[in-house]
Coordinates of all heavy atoms in Angstrom, one line a residue:
M243 N 18.9 6.0 -20.6 CA 17.5 5.4 -20.5 C 16.5 6.6 -20.4 O 15.4 6.5 -20.9 CB 17.4 4.6 -19.2 CG 18.1 3.2 -19.4 SD 17.6 2.3 -20.8 CE 16.0 1.8 -20.4
L244 N 16.9 7.7 -19.7 CA 16.0 8.7 -19.5 C 15.7 9.5 -20.9 O 14.6 9.8 -21.2 CB 16.6 9.8 -18.5 CG 16.5 9.4 -17.1 CD1 17.2 10.4 -16.2 CD2 15.1 9.3 -16.6
G245 N 16.8 9.5 -21.7 CA 16.7 10.1 -23.1 C 15.7 9.3 -23.9 O 14.8 9.9 -24.5
I246 N 15.8 8.0 -23.9 CA 14.8 7.2 -24.6 C 13.4 7.3 -24.0 O 12.4 7.4 -24.8 CB 15.3 5.7 -24.6 CG1 16.6 5.5 -25.3 CG2 14.2 4.7 -25.2 CD1 17.1 4.1 -25.3
G247 N 13.3 7.4 -22.8 CA 12.0 7.6 -22.2 C 11.4 8.9 -22.5 O 10.2 9.0 -22.8
F248 N 12.2 10.0 -22.6 CA 11.6 11.3 -23.0 C 11.2 11.4 -24.5 O 10.2 12.0 -24.8 CB 12.6 12.4 -22.7 CG 12.7 12.7 -21.2 CD1 13.9 12.9 -20.6 CD2 11.6 12.8 -20.4 CE1 14.1 13.1 -19.3 CE2 11.7 13.0 -19.0 CZ 13.0 13.2 -18.5
V249 N 11.9 10.8 -25.3 CA 11.6 10.9 -26.7 C 10.7 9.8 -27.2 O 10.2 9.9 -28.3 CB 12.9 11.0 -27.6 CG1 13.7 12.2 -27.3 CG2 13.8 9.8 -27.4
G250 N 10.7 8.6 -26.5 CA 9.7 7.7 -26.7 C 9.8 7.1 -28.1 O 10.8 6.5 -28.5
V251 N 8.7 7.1 -28.8 CA 8.5 6.3 -30.1 C 9.5 6.9 -31.2 O 9.9 6.2 -32.1 CB 7.1 6.4 -30.6 CG1 6.9 5.8 -31.9 CG2 6.2 5.7 -29.6
T252 N 10.0 8.1 -31.0 CA 10.8 8.7 -32.1 C 12.2 8.0 -32.1 O 12.9 8.1 -33.1 CB 11.0 10.2 -31.8 OG1 11.6 10.4 -30.5 CG2 9.7 10.9 -31.9
M253 N 12.5 7.2 -31.0 CA 13.8 6.5 -31.0 C 13.7 5.2 -31.7 O 14.7 4.5 -31.9 CB 14.3 6.3 -29.5 CG 14.9 7.5 -28.9 SD 16.3 8.1 -29.8 CE 17.5 6.9 -29.5
N254 N 12.5 4.7 -31.9 CA 12.3 3.4 -32.6 C 13.1 3.2 -33.9 O 13.7 2.2 -34.1 CB 10.9 3.1 -32.7 CG 10.2 2.7 -31.5 OD1 10.8 2.4 -30.5 ND2 8.9 2.8 -31.4
P255 N 13.1 4.2 -34.8 CA 13.9 4.0 -36.1 C 15.3 3.8 -35.8 O 16.0 3.0 -36.4 CB 13.6 5.2 -36.9 CG 12.3 5.7 -36.4 CD 12.3 5.4 -34.9
A256 N 15.9 4.5 -34.8 CA 17.3 4.4 -34.5 C 17.6 3.0 -33.9 O 18.6 2.4 -34.2 CB 17.7 5.5 -33.5
M257 N 16.7 2.5 -33.0 CA 16.9 1.2 -32.5 C 16.8 0.1 -33.6 O 17.5 -0.8 -33.6 CB 15.9 0.9 -31.3 CG 16.2 1.8 -30.1 SD 15.2 1.3 -28.7 CE 13.6 1.8 -29.2
I258 N 15.8 0.2 -34.4 CA 15.7 -0.7 -35.5 C 16.8 -0.7 -36.4 O 17.3 -1.9 -36.8 CB 14.3 -0.4 -36.3 CG1 13.1 -0.8 -35.5 CG2 14.3 -1.2 -37.6 CD1 11.8 -0.2 -36.0
S259 N 17.4 0.4 -36.8 CA 18.6 0.4 -37.6 C 19.8 -0.2 -36.9 O 20.6 -0.9 -37.6 CB 18.9 1.8 -38.1 OG 19.3 2.6 -37.1
R260 N 19.9 0.0 -35.6 CA 21.0 -0.6 -34.9 C 20.9 -2.2 -34.9 O 21.8 -2.9 -35.1 CB 21.1 -0.1 -33.5 CG 22.2 -0.6 -32.7 CD 22.4 0.0 -31.4 NE 23.5 -0.7 -30.8 CZ 24.0 -0.3 -29.6 NH1 23.5 0.7 -28.9 NH2 25.0 -0.8 -29.1
V261 N 19.7 -2.6 -34.7 CA 19.4 -4.1 -34.6 C 19.7 -4.6 -36.1 O 20.3 -5.7 -36.2 CB 17.9 -4.4 -34.2 CG1 17.6 -5.9 -34.5 CG2 17.8 -4.1 -32.7
Q262 N 19.3 -3.9 -37.1 CA 19.5 -4.4 -38.5 C 21.0 -4.4 -38.8 O 21.5 -5.4 -39.4 CB 18.8 -3.4 -39.5 CG 17.4 -3.6 -39.5 CD 16.7 -2.6 -40.5 OE1 17.4 -1.6 -40.9 NE2 15.5 -2.8 -40.7
R263 N 21.7 -3.5 -38.3 CA 23.2 -3.5 -38.6 C 23.8 -4.6 -37.8 O 24.7 -5.3 -38.4 CB 23.8 -2.1 -38.1 CG 25.1 -1.9 -38.6 CD 25.6 -0.5 -38.3 NE 24.6 0.5 -38.1 CZ 24.4 1.2 -36.9 NH1 25.3 1.0 -35.9 NH2 23.5 2.1 -36.8
I264 N 23.5 -4.9 -36.6 CA 24.1 -6.0 -35.8 C 23.7 -7.3 -36.4 O 24.5 -8.3 -36.4 CB 23.7 -5.8 -34.3 CG1 24.4 -4.6 -33.8 CG2 24.1 -7.1 -33.5 CD1 24.0 -4.3 -32.4
A265 N 22.4 -7.5 -36.7 CA 21.9 -8.8 -37.2 C 22.0 -9.0 -38.7 O 21.5 -9.9 -39.2 CB 20.4 -8.9 -36.9
N266 N 22.8 -8.1 -39.4 CA 23.1 -8.2 -40.8 C 21.8 -8.1 -41.6 O 21.6 -8.9 -42.6 CB 23.8 -9.5 -41.2 CG 25.2 -9.5 -40.6 OD1 25.9 -8.4 -40.5 ND2 25.7 -10.6 -40.1
A267 N 20.8 -7.4 -41.1 CA 19.5 -7.1 -41.7 C 18.7 -8.4 -42.1 O 18.2 -8.5 -43.2 CB 19.7 -6.2 -43.0
R268 N 18.7 -9.4 -41.3 CA 18.0 -10.6 -41.6 C 16.5 -10.3 -41.3 O 16.1 -9.7 -40.3 CB 18.4 -11.7 -40.6 CG 19.8 -12.1 -41.1 CD 20.2 -13.5 -40.5 NE 21.5 -13.9 -41.0 CZ 22.6 -13.7 -40.3 NH1 22.7 -13.1 -39.2 NH2 23.8 -14.2 -40.9
P269 N 15.6 -10.7 -42.2 CA 14.2 -10.3 -42.1 C 13.5 -10.8 -40.8 O 12.7 -10.0 -40.2 CB 13.5 -11.1 -43.2 CG 14.6 -11.3 -44.2 CD 15.9 -11.5 -43.4
L270 N 13.8 -12.0 -40.3 CA 13.1 -12.5 -39.1 C 13.5 -11.6 -37.9 O 12.6 -11.3 -37.0 CB 13.5 -13.9 -38.8 CG 12.8 -14.5 -37.6 CD1 11.3 -14.5 -37.8 CD2 13.3 -16.0 -37.4
V271 N 14.8 -11.2 -37.7 CA 15.2 -10.4 -36.6 C 14.5 -9.1 -36.6 O 14.0 -8.5 -35.6 CB 16.7 -10.2 -36.7 CG1 17.2 -9.2 -35.6 CG2 17.4 -11.5 -36.4
N272 N 14.4 -8.5 -37.8 CA 13.7 -7.2 -38.0 C 12.2 -7.3 -37.6 O 11.7 -6.4 -37.0 CB 13.8 -6.6 -39.3 CG 15.3 -6.4 -39.7 OD1 16.1 -6.1 -38.8 ND2 15.6 -6.5 -41.0
T273 N 11.6 -8.3 -38.1 CA 10.2 -8.6 -37.7 C 9.9 -8.7 -36.3 O 9.0 -8.1 -35.7 CB 9.7 -9.8 -38.6 OG1 9.9 -9.6 -39.9 CG2 8.2 -10.0 -38.3
I274 N 10.7 -9.5 -35.7 CA 10.5 -9.8 -34.2 C 10.8 -8.5 -33.4 O 10.0 -8.2 -32.5 CB 11.5 -10.9 -33.8 CG1 10.9 -12.2 -34.3 CG2 11.5 -11.0 -32.2 CD1 11.8 -13.4 -34.0
H275 N 11.8 -7.7 -33.8 CA 12.1 -6.5 -33.1 C 10.9 -5.6 -33.2 O 10.4 -5.0 -32.2 CB 13.4 -5.9 -33.6 CG 13.8 -4.7 -32.8 ND1 13.7 -3.4 -33.3 CD2 14.4 -4.6 -31.6 CE1 14.1 -2.5 -32.4 NE2 14.6 -3.2 -31.4
S276 N 10.4 -5.3 -34.4 CA 9.3 -4.4 -34.6 C 8.1 -4.9 -33.9 O 7.3 -4.1 -33.3 CB 9.0 -4.3 -36.1 OG 10.1 -3.7 -36.7
S277 N 7.9 -6.2 -33.9 CA 6.7 -6.8 -33.2 C 6.7 -6.6 -31.7 O 5.7 -6.3 -31.1 CB 6.6 -8.3 -33.5 OG 6.4 -8.5 -34.8
F278 N 7.9 -6.7 -31.1 CA 8.0 -6.4 -29.7 C 7.8 -4.9 -29.3 O 7.3 -4.6 -28.2 CB 9.4 -6.9 -29.1 CG 9.3 -8.3 -28.7 CD1 9.7 -9.4 -29.6 CD2 8.7 -8.7 -27.4 CE1 9.7 -10.7 -29.2 CE2 8.7 -10.1 -27.1 CZ 9.1 -11.0 -28.0
I279 N 8.3 -4.0 -30.2 CA 8.0 -2.6 -30.0 C 6.5 -2.4 -29.9 O 6.0 -1.7 -29.1 CB 8.7 -1.7 -31.0 CG1 10.2 -1.8 -30.9 CG2 8.2 -0.3 -31.0 CD1 11.0 -1.1 -32.0
T280 N 5.8 -3.0 -30.9 CA 4.4 -2.8 -31.0 C 3.7 -3.4 -29.9 O 2.7 -2.9 -29.3 CB 3.9 -3.3 -32.4 OG1 4.6 -2.8 -33.5 CG2 2.4 -3.1 -32.5
L281 N 4.1 -4.6 -29.5 CA 3.5 -5.3 -28.3 C 3.7 -4.4 -27.0 O 2.8 -4.3 -26.2 CB 4.3 -6.6 -28.1 CG 3.7 -7.5 -26.9 CD1 2.2 -7.9 -27.1 CD2 4.6 -8.7 -26.7
G282 N 4.8 -3.8 -26.8 CA 5.0 -2.9 -25.7 C 4.1 -1.8 -25.7 O 3.5 -1.4 -24.6
V283 N 3.9 -1.2 -26.9 CA 2.9 -0.1 -27.0 C 1.5 -0.5 -26.6 O 0.7 0.2 -25.9 CB 3.0 0.6 -28.3 CG1 1.8 1.5 -28.6 CG2 4.3 1.3 -28.6
V284 N 1.1 -1.7 -27.2 CA -0.3 -2.2 -26.9 C -0.4 -2.5 -25.4 O -1.5 -2.1 -24.9 CB -0.5 -3.5 -27.8 CG1 -1.7 -4.2 -27.4 CG2 -0.6 -3.1 -29.3
I285 N 0.5 -3.2 -24.8 CA 0.4 -3.5 -23.4 C 0.3 -2.2 -22.5 O -0.4 -2.2 -21.6 CB 1.5 -4.5 -23.0 CG1 1.3 -5.8 -23.6 CG2 1.6 -4.6 -21.4 CD1 2.4 -6.8 -23.4
G286 N 1.1 -1.3 -22.9 CA 1.1 0.0 -22.1 C -0.2 0.7 -22.2 O -0.7 1.2 -21.2
F287 N -0.8 0.8 -23.4 CA -2.1 1.4 -23.5 C -3.2 0.6 -22.7 O -4.1 1.2 -22.1 CB -2.5 1.6 -25.0 CG -1.8 2.7 -25.6 CD1 -1.1 2.5 -26.8 CD2 -1.9 4.0 -25.2 CE1 -0.6 3.6 -27.5 CE2 -1.4 5.1 -25.7 CZ -0.6 4.9 -26.9
W288 N -3.1 -0.7 -22.9 CA -4.1 -1.6 -22.2 C -4.0 -1.4 -20.7 O -5.0 -1.2 -20.0 CB -3.8 -3.0 -22.6 CG -4.7 -4.0 -21.9 CD1 -6.1 -4.1 -22.1 CD2 -4.4 -5.0 -21.0 NE1 -6.6 -5.1 -21.3 CE2 -5.5 -5.7 -20.6 CE3 -3.1 -5.4 -20.4 CZ2 -5.5 -6.8 -19.8 CZ3 -3.1 -6.4 -19.5 CH2 -4.3 -7.1 -19.2
I289 N -2.8 -1.4 -20.1 CA -2.7 -1.3 -18.7 C -3.1 0.1 -18.2 O -3.7 0.4 -17.2 CB -1.3 -1.6 -18.2 CG1 -1.0 -3.1 -18.4 CG2 -1.0 -1.2 -16.8 CD1 0.4 -3.5 -18.1
G290 N -2.7 1.1 -19.0 CA -3.1 2.5 -18.7 C -4.6 2.7 -18.8 O -5.2 3.4 -17.9
G291 N -5.3 2.0 -19.7 CA -6.7 2.1 -19.8 C -7.4 1.5 -18.6 O -8.4 2.0 -18.0
I292 N -6.9 0.4 -18.1 CA -7.5 -0.3 -17.0 C -7.2 0.6 -15.7 O -8.1 0.8 -14.9 CB -6.7 -1.7 -16.7 CG1 -7.2 -2.7 -17.8 CG2 -7.1 -2.2 -15.3 CD1 -6.5 -4.0 -17.7
G293 N -6.1 1.3 -15.7 CA -5.8 2.1 -14.5 C -6.7 3.4 -14.5 O -7.3 3.8 -13.5
I294 N -7.0 3.9 -15.7 CA -7.9 5.1 -15.8 C -9.4 4.7 -15.4 O -10.0 5.4 -14.6 CB -7.9 5.6 -17.2 CG1 -6.6 6.3 -17.5 CG2 -9.1 6.6 -17.4 CD1 -6.4 6.8 -18.9
N295 N -9.8 3.5 -15.8 CA -11.1 3.1 -15.4 C -11.3 2.8 -14.0 O -12.3 3.1 -13.3 CB -11.4 1.7 -16.1 CG -11.8 1.9 -17.5 OD1 -12.2 3.0 -18.0 ND2 -11.7 0.8 -18.3
H296 N -10.2 2.3 -13.3 CA -10.3 2.1 -11.9 C -9.9 3.2 -11.0 O -10.4 3.4 -9.8 CB -9.5 0.8 -11.5 CG -10.1 -0.4 -12.1 ND1 -11.3 -1.0 -11.6 CD2 -9.7 -1.2 -13.1 CE1 -11.5 -2.1 -12.3 NE2 -10.6 -2.2 -13.2
Y297 N -8.9 4.0 -11.4 CA -8.3 5.0 -10.5 C -8.4 6.4 -11.0 O -7.9 7.3 -10.3 CB -6.9 4.6 -10.2 CG -6.7 3.2 -9.5 CD1 -6.2 2.2 -10.3 CD2 -7.2 3.1 -8.2 CE1 -6.1 0.9 -9.7 CE2 -7.1 1.8 -7.6 CZ -6.5 0.8 -8.4 OH -6.5 -0.5 -7.8
G298 N -8.8 6.7 -12.1 CA -8.9 8.0 -12.7 C -7.8 8.4 -13.6 O -6.9 7.6 -14.0
L299 N -7.8 9.7 -14.0 CA -6.9 10.1 -15.0 C -5.4 10.3 -14.5 O -4.5 10.4 -15.3 CB -7.3 11.5 -15.6 CG -8.6 11.4 -16.4 CD1 -9.0 12.9 -16.8 CD2 -8.4 10.6 -17.6
T300 N -5.2 10.2 -13.2 CA -3.8 10.2 -12.7 C -3.1 8.9 -12.7 O -1.9 8.7 -12.5 CB -3.7 10.8 -11.3 OG1 -4.5 10.1 -10.4 CG2 -4.3 12.3 -11.3
A301 N -3.9 7.9 -13.0 CA -3.4 6.5 -12.9 C -2.2 6.3 -13.9 O -1.2 5.7 -13.5 CB -4.5 5.5 -13.1
P302 N -2.3 6.8 -15.1 CA -1.2 6.5 -16.0 C 0.2 7.2 -15.5 O 1.2 6.7 -15.8 CB -1.5 7.1 -17.3 CG -3.0 7.1 -17.3 CD -3.4 7.3 -15.9
L303 N 0.0 8.3 -14.8 CA 1.3 8.9 -14.3 C 1.9 8.0 -13.2 O 3.2 7.8 -13.2 CB 0.9 10.2 -13.7 CG 0.3 11.3 -14.6 CD1 -0.2 12.5 -13.8 CD2 1.3 11.6 -15.7
W304 N 1.1 7.5 -12.3 CA 1.6 6.6 -11.3 C 2.1 5.3 -11.9 O 3.2 4.7 -11.5 CB 0.5 6.3 -10.3 CG 0.3 7.5 -9.4 CD1 -0.8 8.3 -9.5 CD2 1.2 8.0 -8.4 NE1 -0.7 9.3 -8.5 CE2 0.6 9.2 -7.8 CE3 2.4 7.7 -7.9 CZ2 1.1 9.9 -6.8 CZ3 3.0 8.4 -6.9 CH2 2.3 9.5 -6.4
L305 N 1.4 4.8 -12.9 CA 1.8 3.5 -13.6 C 3.1 3.8 -14.2 O 4.0 2.9 -14.2 CB 0.8 3.1 -14.6 CG 1.1 1.9 -15.4 CD1 1.2 0.7 -14.5 CD2 0.1 1.7 -16.5
G306 N 3.3 4.9 -14.9 CA 4.6 5.2 -15.6 C 5.7 5.3 -14.5 O 6.9 4.8 -14.8
A307 N 5.5 5.9 -13.4 CA 6.5 5.9 -12.3 C 6.9 4.5 -11.8 O 8.0 4.3 -11.6 CB 6.0 6.8 -11.2
V308 N 5.9 3.7 -11.6 CA 6.2 2.4 -11.2 C 6.9 1.6 -12.2 O 7.9 0.9 -11.9 CB 4.8 1.6 -10.8 CG1 5.0 0.1 -10.6 CG2 4.2 2.3 -9.6
L309 N 6.6 1.7 -13.5 CA 7.2 0.9 -14.5 C 8.8 1.5 -14.7 O 9.7 0.7 -14.9 CB 6.5 1.1 -15.8 CG 5.1 0.3 -15.9 CD1 4.5 0.5 -17.2 CD2 5.4 -1.2 -15.7
A310 N 8.9 2.8 -14.6 CA 10.3 3.3 -14.6 C 11.1 2.8 -13.4 O 12.3 2.5 -13.6 CB 10.2 4.8 -14.6
A311 N 10.5 2.7 -12.3 CA 11.3 2.2 -11.1 C 11.6 0.7 -11.4 O 12.7 0.3 -11.0 CB 10.4 2.3 -9.8
L312 N 10.7 -0.1 -11.9 CA 11.0 -1.5 -12.2 C 12.1 -1.6 -13.2 O 12.9 -2.5 -13.1 CB 9.7 -2.2 -12.7 CG 8.6 -2.4 -11.7 CD1 7.4 -3.0 -12.3 CD2 9.2 -3.4 -10.6
A313 N 12.1 -0.7 -14.2 CA 13.1 -0.8 -15.3 C 14.5 -0.5 -14.6 O 15.5 -1.1 -14.9 CB 12.8 0.2 -16.3
L314 N 14.5 0.5 -13.7 CA 15.8 0.9 -13.1 C 16.3 -0.3 -12.2 O 17.4 -0.7 -12.1 CB 15.7 2.1 -12.2 CG 15.6 3.4 -13.1 CD1 15.3 4.6 -12.2 CD2 16.8 3.6 -13.9
A315 N 15.3 -1.0 -11.5 CA 15.6 -2.1 -10.6 C 16.2 -3.3 -11.5 O 17.0 -4.0 -11.1 CB 14.4 -2.5 -9.8
A316 N 15.7 -3.4 -12.7 CA 16.1 -4.4 -13.6 C 17.6 -4.2 -14.0 O 18.3 -5.1 -14.3 CB 15.3 -4.6 -14.8
L317 N 18.1 -2.9 -13.9 CA 19.4 -2.6 -14.4 C 20.4 -2.8 -13.3 O 21.6 -2.9 -13.5 CB 19.5 -1.1 -14.8 CG 18.7 -0.8 -16.1 CD1 18.8 0.7 -16.3 CD2 19.4 -1.5 -17.2
L318 N 20.0 -2.9 -12.0 CA 20.9 -3.0 -10.9 C 21.9 -4.2 -11.0 O 23.0 -4.1 -10.7 CB 20.1 -3.1 -9.6 CG 19.4 -1.7 -9.2 CD1 18.6 -1.9 -7.9 CD2 20.4 -0.6 -9.1
P319 N 21.4 -5.4 -11.3 CA 22.4 -6.5 -11.4 C 23.4 -6.3 -12.5 O 24.6 -6.6 -12.2 CB 21.5 -7.7 -11.8 CG 20.1 -7.4 -11.4 CD 20.0 -5.9 -11.5
G320 N 23.1 -5.6 -13.5 CA 24.1 -5.3 -14.5 C 25.1 -4.3 -14.1 O 26.3 -4.4 -14.5
L321 N 24.6 -3.3 -13.3 CA 25.6 -2.4 -12.7 C 26.6 -3.0 -11.8 O 27.8 -2.6 -11.8 CB 24.8 -1.3 -12.0 CG 23.9 -0.3 -12.9 CD1 23.1 0.7 -12.0 CD2 24.8 0.4 -13.8
G322 N 26.1 -4.0 -11.0 CA 27.1 -4.7 -10.2 C 28.2 -5.4 -10.9 O 29.3 -5.5 -10.6
Q323 N 27.8 -6.0 -12.1 CA 28.7 -6.7 -12.9 C 29.7 -5.7 -13.6 O 30.9 -6.0 -13.7 CB 28.0 -7.4 -14.0 CG 27.2 -8.7 -13.5 CD 26.5 -9.3 -14.6 OE1 26.4 -8.9 -15.6 NE2 25.9 -10.5 -14.2
L324 N 29.2 -4.5 -13.9 CA 30.2 -3.5 -14.5 C 31.2 -3.0 -13.5 O 32.3 -2.9 -13.8 CB 29.3 -2.3 -15.0 CG 28.6 -2.5 -16.3 CD1 27.7 -1.2 -16.6 CD2 29.5 -2.8 -17.4
R325 N 30.8 -2.9 -12.2 CA 31.7 -2.5 -11.2 C 32.8 -3.5 -11.0 O 33.9 -3.2 -10.8 CB 30.9 -2.2 -9.9 CG 30.2 -0.9 -9.9 CD 29.7 -0.6 -8.6 NE 28.8 0.5 -8.7 CZ 27.7 0.8 -7.9 NH1 27.4 -0.1 -7.0 NH2 27.0 1.8 -8.0
R326 N 32.3 -4.8 -11.0 CA 33.4 -5.8 -10.8 C 34.3 -5.9 -12.0 O 35.5 -6.2 -11.8 CB 32.7 -7.2 -10.6 CG 32.2 -7.3 -9.1 CD 31.6 -8.6 -8.9 NE 30.2 -8.4 -9.0 CZ 29.3 -9.2 -9.5 NH1 29.6 -10.4 -9.9 NH2 28.0 -8.8 -9.5
A327 N 33.8 -5.6 -13.2 CA 34.7 -5.7 -14.4 C 35.6 -4.6 -14.4 O 36.7 -4.7 -15.0 CB 33.8 -5.7 -15.6
D328 N 35.3 -3.4 -13.8 CA 36.1 -2.2 -13.9 C 37.3 -2.4 -12.9 O 38.4 -1.7 -13.0 CB 35.4 -1.0 -13.6 CG 34.4 -0.6 -14.7 OD1 34.7 -1.1 -15.8 OD2 33.5 0.2 -14.5
K329 N 37.1 -3.2 -11.8 CA 38.2 -3.3 -10.8 C 39.3 -4.1 -11.4 O 39.1 -5.2 -12.0 CB 37.6 -4.0 -9.6 CG 36.8 -3.1 -8.7 CD 36.4 -3.9 -7.4 CE 35.6 -3.0 -6.5 NZ 35.3 -3.8 -5.3
P330 N 40.5 -3.7 -11.1 CA 41.6 -4.6 -11.6 C 41.7 -5.9 -10.7 O 41.3 -5.8 -9.6 CB 42.9 -3.7 -11.4 CG 42.5 -2.7 -10.4 CD 41.0 -2.5 -10.6
A331 N 42.1 -6.9 -11.4 CA 42.2 -8.1 -10.6 C 43.3 -8.1 -9.6 O 44.4 -7.6 -9.9 CB 42.5 -9.3 -11.6
E332 N 43.0 -8.5 -8.5 CA 44.0 -8.5 -7.4 C 44.9 -9.7 -7.6 O 44.6 -10.9 -7.4 CB 43.4 -8.5 -6.0 CG 42.5 -7.2 -5.8 CD 42.0 -7.3 -4.4 OE1 42.5 -8.0 -3.5 OE2 41.0 -6.6 -4.2
T333 N 46.2 -9.5 -7.9 CA 47.2 -10.5 -8.0 C 48.1 -10.5 -6.9 O 48.5 -9.4 -6.4 CB 47.9 -10.4 -9.4 OG1 48.6 -9.1 -9.4 CG2 47.1 -10.5 -10.6
P334 N 48.4 -11.6 -6.4 CA 49.3 -11.6 -5.2 C 50.7 -11.1 -5.7 O 51.2 -11.4 -6.7 CB 49.4 -13.1 -4.7 CG 48.9 -13.9 -6.0 CD 48.0 -12.9 -6.8
L335 N 51.4 -10.5 -4.7 CA 52.7 -10.0 -5.0 C 53.7 -11.1 -4.9 O 53.5 -12.1 -4.1 CB 53.1 -8.9 -4.0 CG 52.2 -7.6 -4.0 CD1 52.6 -6.7 -2.9 CD2 52.4 -6.9 -5.5
P336 N 54.7 -11.1 -5.7 CA 55.7 -12.2 -5.7 C 56.4 -12.1 -4.3 O 56.7 -11.0 -3.8 CB 56.6 -12.0 -6.8 CG 56.4 -10.5 -7.2 CD 55.0 -10.2 -6.8
A337 N 56.8 -13.3 -3.9 CA 57.6 -13.2 -2.6 C 58.9 -12.6 -2.7 O 59.6 -12.8 -3.8 CB 57.7 -14.7 -2.1
P338 N 59.4 -11.8 -1.8 CA 60.7 -11.2 -1.9 C 61.8 -12.2 -1.9 O 61.7 -13.2 -1.1 CB 60.8 -10.2 -0.8 CG 59.7 -10.7 0.2 CD 58.7 -11.4 -0.5
E339 N 62.8 -12.0 -2.7 CA 63.9 -12.9 -2.7 C 64.8 -12.5 -1.6 O 65.1 -11.4 -1.4 CB 64.6 -12.8 -4.1 CG 63.8 -13.3 -5.2 CD 64.6 -13.2 -6.5 OE1 65.8 -13.1 -6.5 OE2 63.9 -13.2 -7.5
H340 N 65.3 -13.5 -0.9 CA 66.2 -13.3 0.2 C 67.6 -13.3 -0.3 O 68.0 -14.2 -1.1 CB 66.0 -14.3 1.3 CG 64.7 -14.3 1.9 ND1 64.3 -13.3 2.9 CD2 63.6 -15.1 1.8 CE1 63.1 -13.5 3.2 NE2 62.6 -14.6 2.6
Q341 N 68.3 -12.2 0.0 CA 69.7 -12.2 -0.5 C 70.6 -12.5 0.7 O 70.4 -12.0 1.8 CB 70.0 -10.8 -1.0 CG 69.2 -10.4 -2.3 CD 69.6 -9.0 -2.7 OE1 70.2 -8.3 -2.1 NE2 69.0 -8.7 -3.9
V342 N 71.6 -13.3 0.5 CA 72.6 -13.7 1.5 C 73.8 -12.8 1.2 O 74.4 -12.9 0.1 CB 72.9 -15.1 1.4 CG1 73.9 -15.5 2.5 CG2 71.6 -16.0 1.6
E343 N 74.1 -12.0 2.2 CA 75.2 -11.1 2.0 C 76.4 -11.9 2.5 O 76.5 -12.5 3.6 CB 75.1 -9.8 2.8 CG 74.0 -8.9 2.1 CD 73.9 -7.7 2.9 OE1 74.8 -7.2 3.5 OE2 72.8 -7.1 2.9
S344 N 77.6 -11.8 1.8 CA 78.8 -12.4 2.2 C 79.5 -11.4 3.0 O 79.6 -10.2 2.8 CB 79.6 -12.9 1.0 OG 79.9 -11.8 0.2
A345 N 80.2 -11.9 4.1 CA 81.0 -11.0 5.0 C 82.4 -10.7 4.5 O 83.0 -11.2 3.8 CB 81.0 -11.7 6.4

């Protein structure tokens, strides 16, 4: 996630090609994926502009930090599921068989 955050928009072609490969290059899937990328850029600029108007030029830095923290918080439930999936299932041990020794 940090890598995608650092390179930003340059990762979009790689993400689009991965979506195309998985979705068998269906036009609607490609259009929706590209539209959501653009929507994210538009919303980010809009919120950043509001922040600059109200709080000055440092507002986008704080906004970016808050959004990154929210993104990490959104990953926490998935991390818990991964940990549970990595643990081997606890199976009860079979009861020991009692052997009767003859005298």
Side-chain angles (χ1 to χ4, degrees):
M243 291 304 293
L244 287 174
I246 291 173
F248 287 135
V249 296
V251 176
T252 59
M253 285 299 291
N254 286 341
M257 288 189 291
I258 289 171
S259 65
R260 183 173 180 177
V261 168
Q262 287 176 347
R263 198 173 332 121
I264 292 172
N266 296 324
R268 294 197 173 95
L270 183 61
V271 173
N272 298 332
T273 303
I274 290 174
H275 184 257
S276 298
S277 297
F278 272 97
I279 290 172
T280 305
L281 180 65
V283 170
V284 169
I285 290 172
F287 281 127
W288 178 65
I289 293 173
I292 290 173
I294 288 173
N295 282 339
H296 292 288
Y297 302 106
L299 293 176
T300 58
L303 300 174
W304 290 105
L305 177 64
V308 168
L309 291 176
L312 289 173
L314 289 174
L317 293 175
L318 292 177
L321 291 176
Q323 290 176 352
L324 285 176
R325 286 188 187 149
R326 279 182 264 149
D328 289 341
K329 283 185 179 180
E332 292 184 23
T333 55
L335 296 174
E339 295 181 21
H340 297 286
Q341 295 178 353
V342 179
E343 293 183 24
S344 59

